[in-house]
Amino acid sequence: MPKGPKTNRLKKEEPPPPPPDNPRQCHFWVKHKRRYCHLPTKIDNDFCGEHAIYDTKRGEERIVCPYDPSQ
């Protein structure tokens, strides 16, 4: 039996849900896992240490490491 044309199995990208209610949970949306990061944050931050580079609200400019600029 012939099969029909292949359909795109990728789901449409939906906007992330509102940030978590837990004030100590990271607000970084992990797209491929479709959830927020579970790492804890410092008291006054919205992002954990791993995702602090995405925090544009703080107004501080990130200093790039001269040995490894990806970090």
Side-chain angles (χ1 to χ4, degrees):
M1 227 184 220
K3 295 182 180 180
K6 290 186 179 182
T7 59
N8 190 358
R9 293 186 179 119
L10 297 176
K11 294 181 180 180
K12 291 183 180 178
E13 189 173 322
E14 298 175 3
D21 292 334
N22 184 355
R24 297 290 309 271
Q25 185 178 348
C26 182
H27 288 197
F28 181 77
W29 178 253
V30 185
K31 286 183 186 179
H32 67 278
K33 293 184 179 181
R34 295 181 20 185
R35 65 170 173 85
Y36 283 98
C37 172
H38 287 291
L39 294 175
T41 64
K42 291 185 178 179
I43 293 174
D44 293 337
N45 295 350
D46 288 338
F47 294 90
C48 64
E50 187 71 25
H51 300 115
I53 60 172
Y54 300 107
D55 193 2
T56 58
K57 192 168 61 173
R58 296 185 69 199
E60 299 174 9
E61 188 165 329
R62 178 175 170 265
I63 298 172
V64 180
C65 175
Y67 300 112
D68 187 4
S70 67
Q71 298 280 327

